[in-house]
Amino acid sequence: MNEASLGQAAAAQAAAASSTMGKAGRPPAWTGGYWPFVLPAVVVILAVILFPWVFTIWMSGQEWKLGQGSSFVGLANYWRMTGDDRFIESFWHTLSYTALSVILPILVGTIAAVVFNERFMGRGVLRALFVLPMMATPVAIALVWTMMFHPQLGVLNYLLSLVGIPPQLWVFHPGSVIPSLVLVETWQWSPLVMLIVLGGLSSIPTEPYESAVIDGASRWQLLRHITLPMVAPFIMVAALIRTIDAVKSFDIIFAITQGGPGTASETINLYLYSVAFAYYDIGYGSAIAVIFFGLVVALSVLMVWLRQRTQWSEAGAAA
Amino acid sequence: MSLKAILDRTLLWVCVFLLVSPAVLFFVWMISLSLKYEIDNGAYPPILIPETVAWENYAEVLKSNRFGTYFINSILVTGAATLIGLVVGVPAGYGLARMKARRTAMLILIARMTPGLSYLIPLFLLFRWMGIMGTLWPQIIIHLVLTVPIVIWIMISYFETTPMELEEAALIDGATRWEVFRHVALPIAKPGVVVAMILAVIFSWNNFVFGIVLAGRETRTLPVAVYNMISYDQVSWGPLAAAALIVTLPVLVVTLIAQRQIVAGLTAGAVKGG
């Protein structure tokens, strides 16, 4: 089975090689002439992605409230952020929310991938059920979670009482609001991690397992020393995607708490919404948007760097 | 079966149960909430299956004066954004795959990393200036931010794996690049187009942040309409849960039917909208 697919791959490679050789006769023509296919997309991307970018950067240098005139103020909007306590607070909320919303789904999702990689009855159906939360409309599920979090009438406190845990205030207390929201985030996004890691697991060759089993390795040793190192790159890809999504998280927080109680769960994204679309402070909002994008990029670069480090250290460990 | 094997199996099933039950219990509870009268929803200890089922909750949502409008709005916005996304994105994915322009995938990654709100500020001003704020066009246009990158991303990876031999033969026989695309590449890539379409539909349907800023009273999509139910009307839990279920049901059904394609699409590009 394995050999057969290897054979196919080799055949495909041979075919690819022969087609490259065929190209040699009339070199540039094959990759040329395709730009008309791309042109409409380029126009759309310029209009809805690039234009907003350039315009945002320009606006971030303006003092501009909607309905009033604008005037150029240089970097004043950026300077204003350093003295804006609400912005600084939202910055820390974003970091703690993101850290938890990456780590927990990675843990649950990786365990789920290992479990769903086993063969058992009804695996397809059960996996589909596990994936459902990820595809559901965030606002709709946020509404139901809000009802479940209700301190008196919510089903969660009832479930806790069954195992003897006193009722919690969940999203209604500043101290527990971020962990409660992360619970929803973990519930919703562990499936994405599972799918990515599962893709990785299914690509692992069986040979290392076979020789390890012959050498008398235990199940745990197989997981720890073969499976995890081999899927580590996939886990890191999942972590990168999770980081990008968690920093930008909006729907769940907005629909459940609107950043409250007070500003206890206000992340940068929610503060940005208030500044731009509740106070209509376009200039300052644009500056926050630019810094916010910078944060997303910085965290992504950090994750890519971590990924390269894990690969390097594994190579070191293997050697 | 040895004792160890039995233990292994038991552990596996405990894990499966622990993983799947939060998802199942949530949706079961959602259905339960949507089918109970106010008095049952406020009961303690909570009631899972009520003695009398409140089908009226659904009737109330469906007959409330604007729900039909919002449903049609959602279909128009998602339909138009997906259609334009496919018309623009499928040829682009093809062109980029054949030009071997892998770097452009970076651009799509950047589009993905950009917070939705940073598109909203400039486009909001642009739409106001154009005077189209009362229509569905602002939402259709901004949903292209979701659909176009997804479609391009998935189609690039799909066209990269389709064999080139037929296309080369057609080119040698004198077909134009458009004819090759239309009659050779596109028919082979149909499954990829389906995956791209499903994901574009789901991400567009689920989107909330664009609507909350750009939708007026007449142009709300379903997620925004449901959100407004909690903030403005003091509705009871039953109808609210019923509305939430109606909004997300189409997506859940599509997910269950097309699970295989969705998994393939998500793991190929590992993308999500928003």
Side-chain angles (χ1 to χ4, degrees):
Chain A
M1 161 88 193
N2 223 352
E3 245 167 295
S5 61
L6 272 176
Q8 275 175 353
Q13 255 171 2
S18 73
S19 73
T20 345
M21 285 197 292
K23 270 183 215 171
R26 26 184 304 190
W30 293 106
T31 51
Y34 287 105
W35 63 267
F37 289 97
V38 185
L39 193 62
V42 171
V43 172
V44 169
I45 285 172
L46 283 179
V48 298
I49 294 176
L50 207 67
F51 154 75
W53 257 114
V54 175
F55 198 36
T56 300
I57 291 170
W58 179 79
M59 284 187 299
S60 73
Q62 308 282 321
E63 165 80 46
W64 184 2
K65 289 213 166 111
L66 206 63
Q68 299 164 16
S70 62
S71 59
F72 182 72
V73 291
L75 295 175
N77 283 323
Y78 293 93
W79 182 243
R80 189 174 146 193
M81 261 176 260
T82 60
D84 182 348
D85 289 341
R86 201 167 150 192
F87 172 78
I88 292 164
E89 199 199 340
S90 73
F91 182 84
W92 294 116
H93 290 157
T94 308
L95 286 192
S96 58
Y97 185 90
T98 304
L100 289 171
S101 303
V102 173
I103 293 167
L104 290 175
I106 289 288
L107 274 178
V108 177
T110 304
I111 293 170
V114 171
V115 168
F116 282 110
N117 194 42
E118 298 287 323
R119 295 186 176 279
F120 54 87
M121 210 180 61
R123 179 174 68 162
V125 177
L126 289 165
R127 192 184 64 183
L129 290 172
F130 183 72
V131 170
L132 271 190
M134 178 178 107
M135 307 314 280
T137 310
V139 178
I141 61 162
L143 269 181
V144 178
W145 275 103
T146 311
M147 298 177 194
M148 292 177 25
F149 281 135
H150 195 283
Q152 282 89 46
L153 306 175
V155 71
L156 288 183
N157 274 344
Y158 170 72
L159 291 177
L160 287 188
S161 76
L162 291 182
V163 287
I165 299 173
Q168 306 292 315
L169 286 171
W170 304 103
V171 294
F172 297 92
H173 186 272
S176 58
V177 61
I178 288 183
S180 303
L181 291 170
V182 169
L183 178 71
V184 181
E185 189 96 16
T186 305
W187 175 84
Q188 200 187 3
W189 290 113
S190 297
L192 183 65
V193 177
M194 186 274 281
L195 290 178
I196 295 168
V197 178
L198 194 60
L201 284 173
S202 63
S203 68
I204 296 181
T206 52
E207 288 82 4
Y209 288 97
E210 284 157 9
S211 51
V213 168
I214 293 168
D215 292 346
S218 74
R219 233 164 182 229
W220 171 249
Q221 283 173 321
L222 292 180
L223 185 69
R224 171 69 189 79
H225 295 291
I226 299 181
T227 310
L228 282 182
M230 289 189 97
V231 293
F234 292 87
I235 295 178
M236 290 312 293
V237 168
L240 171 66
I241 290 167
R242 208 62 283 287
T243 306
I244 295 173
D245 291 341
V247 186
K248 299 191 306 173
S249 185
F250 182 84
D251 295 11
I252 293 287
I253 309 176
F254 190 82
I256 296 180
T257 68
Q258 287 95 38
T263 54
S265 61
E266 189 173 73
T267 58
I268 300 178
N269 213 8
L270 271 97
Y271 183 50
L272 170 58
Y273 175 83
S274 295
V275 170
F277 296 108
Y279 315 140
Y280 289 112
D281 195 339
I282 302 295
Y284 190 43
S286 299
I288 295 176
V290 171
I291 292 299
F292 186 33
F293 178 70
L295 178 68
V296 181
V297 172
L299 288 174
S300 309
V301 169
L302 176 74
M303 298 309 293
V304 170
W305 180 75
L306 279 175
R307 182 187 168 175
Q308 276 158 355
R309 262 185 67 99
T310 52
Q311 276 172 335
W312 185 80
S313 65
E314 268 147 37
Chain B
M1 230 203 243
S2 69
L3 182 68
K4 192 173 173 303
I6 294 171
L7 272 176
D8 273 359
R9 278 279 115 170
T10 316
L11 181 68
L12 179 72
W13 278 105
V14 169
C15 286
V16 171
F17 176 79
L18 287 176
L19 287 167
V20 176
S21 58
V24 173
L25 287 179
F26 177 89
F27 289 107
V28 166
W29 189 243
M30 189 175 183
I31 295 167
S32 167
L33 283 167
S34 75
L35 287 175
K36 286 185 294 196
Y37 287 103
E38 195 58 2
I39 194 149
D40 288 336
N41 272 331
Y44 194 93
I47 299 165
L48 181 62
I49 301 164
E51 278 171 28
T52 44
V53 175
W55 296 107
E56 293 100 293
N57 289 340
Y58 285 90
E60 197 176 308
V61 173
L62 292 175
K63 74 166 190 274
S64 78
N65 46 358
R66 283 205 164 82
F67 199 85
T69 315
Y70 299 149
F71 202 91
I72 292 167
N73 287 346
S74 258
I75 287 175
L76 287 176
V77 169
T78 294
T82 303
L83 193 69
I84 299 172
L86 289 173
V87 167
V88 166
V90 174
Y94 177 71
L96 291 173
R98 291 292 171 265
M99 287 155 81
K100 310 211 186 309
R102 286 254 71 180
R103 290 269 171 78
T104 45
M106 274 304 290
L107 242 176
I108 292 158
L109 193 68
I110 291 171
R112 199 185 135 67
M113 280 160 63
T114 308
L117 281 167
S118 33
Y119 297 117
L120 267 167
I121 304 174
L123 289 176
F124 170 75
L125 295 171
L126 180 71
F127 295 144
R128 267 171 55 108
W129 176 77
M130 289 165 77
I132 56 172
M133 275 304 277
T135 68
L136 286 174
W137 283 108
Q139 292 185 78
I140 293 172
I141 293 168
I142 205 162
H143 275 230
L144 295 179
V145 170
L146 305 171
T147 59
V148 171
I150 294 169
V151 173
I152 295 181
W153 186 269
I154 289 174
M155 293 322 294
I156 288 180
S157 54
Y158 206 89
F159 280 121
E160 274 181 343
T161 61
T162 55
M164 282 287 292
E165 287 76 15
L166 274 176
E167 290 182 35
E168 285 173 0
L171 282 174
I172 290 166
D173 289 348
T176 65
R177 290 208 152 69
W178 174 254
E179 285 163 348
V180 171
F181 168 69
R182 178 71 193 76
H183 299 293
V184 181
L186 195 58
I188 300 175
K190 244 181 209 155
V193 177
V194 171
V195 170
M197 186 190 76
I198 291 171
L199 288 177
V201 164
I202 290 176
F203 294 150
S204 170
W205 184 270
N206 283 349
N207 184 277
F208 170 65
V209 64
F210 294 151
I212 198 89
V213 173
L214 293 177
R217 209 171 153 65
E218 294 297 326
T219 53
R220 277 174 204 153
T221 53
L222 284 177
V224 180
V226 164
Y227 173 75
N228 278 358
M229 276 176 80
I230 24 169
S231 40
Y232 296 116
D233 315 322
Q234 278 303 317
V235 241
S236 45
W237 283 12
L240 204 53
L245 199 66
I246 295 172
V247 170
T248 195
L249 196 64
V251 181
L252 297 185
V253 171
V254 169
T255 305
L256 288 175
I257 293 173
Q259 196 224 146
R260 196 175 290 252
Q261 284 88 332
I262 290 171
V263 169
L266 283 173
T267 44
V271 281
K272 180 185 86 89

